[in-house]
């Protein structure tokens, strides 16, 4: 069995997108630290890798809706979780990504 040692060695196929959730801030803008129980799981993630796209019925490759480095909104549940050491990542299909966050 092969063990994934580095997430950079993972290349998503077809219309899959590899993301890592952005950890919510545990401190307010004024510097007050929040207890873990009050910091909710965020649905924002950073796109780390994008597959080349799926094919349509005519065999043409469909363009992906997101690109490496994009900040996106992902569903609360779903996707395929991947753990590398202590770090957690998730693979979603391009169509499962809810929105791209433009800043």
């Amino acid at each position: 069995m092969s063990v994934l040692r580095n997430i950079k060695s993972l290349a998503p196929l077809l219309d899959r997108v590899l993301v890592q959730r952005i950890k919510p801030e545990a401190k307010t803008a004024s510097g007050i630290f929040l207890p873990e129980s009050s910091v909710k799981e965020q649905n924002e993630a950073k796109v780390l890798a994008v597959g080349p796209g799926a094919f349509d019925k005519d065999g043409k490759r469909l363009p992906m809706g997101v690109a490496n480095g994009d900040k996106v909104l992902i569903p609360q549940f779903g996707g395929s979780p991947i753990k590398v050491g202590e770090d957690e990542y998730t693979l979603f299909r391009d169509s499962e990504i809810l929105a791209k966050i433009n800043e």
Side-chain angles (χ1 to χ4, degrees):
M1 183 171 130
S2 175
V3 176
L4 194 62
R5 290 194 174 97
N6 186 338
I7 197 64
K8 291 181 180 179
S9 64
L10 187 71
L13 298 176
L14 297 173
D15 63 341
R16 299 216 172 46
V17 178
L18 178 67
V19 301
Q20 184 174 31
R21 282 187 194 271
I22 297 171
K23 301 246 188 263
E25 288 294 324
K27 187 167 76 167
T28 65
S30 60
I32 298 170
F33 284 93
L34 301 170
E36 277 189 42
S37 60
S38 70
V39 179
K40 289 187 176 178
E41 179 96 11
Q42 289 221 345
N43 292 346
E44 291 180 14
K46 182 177 180 185
V47 176
L48 301 179
V50 177
F55 294 100
D56 67 10
K57 63 181 180 183
D58 298 323
K60 294 179 185 168
R61 197 168 294 271
L62 298 169
M64 295 293 282
V66 296
N68 291 6
D70 283 350
K71 194 172 173 185
V72 294
L73 193 64
I74 56 174
Q76 178 106 22
F77 304 102
S80 300
I82 300 167
K83 192 163 184 172
V84 179
E86 293 299 310
D87 296 321
E88 294 181 10
Y89 306 90
T90 310
L91 271 172
F92 285 99
R93 289 193 177 274
D94 187 44
S95 60
E96 294 175 324
I97 303 290
L98 303 175
K100 187 158 69 168
I101 301 170
N102 297 318
E103 296 184 286

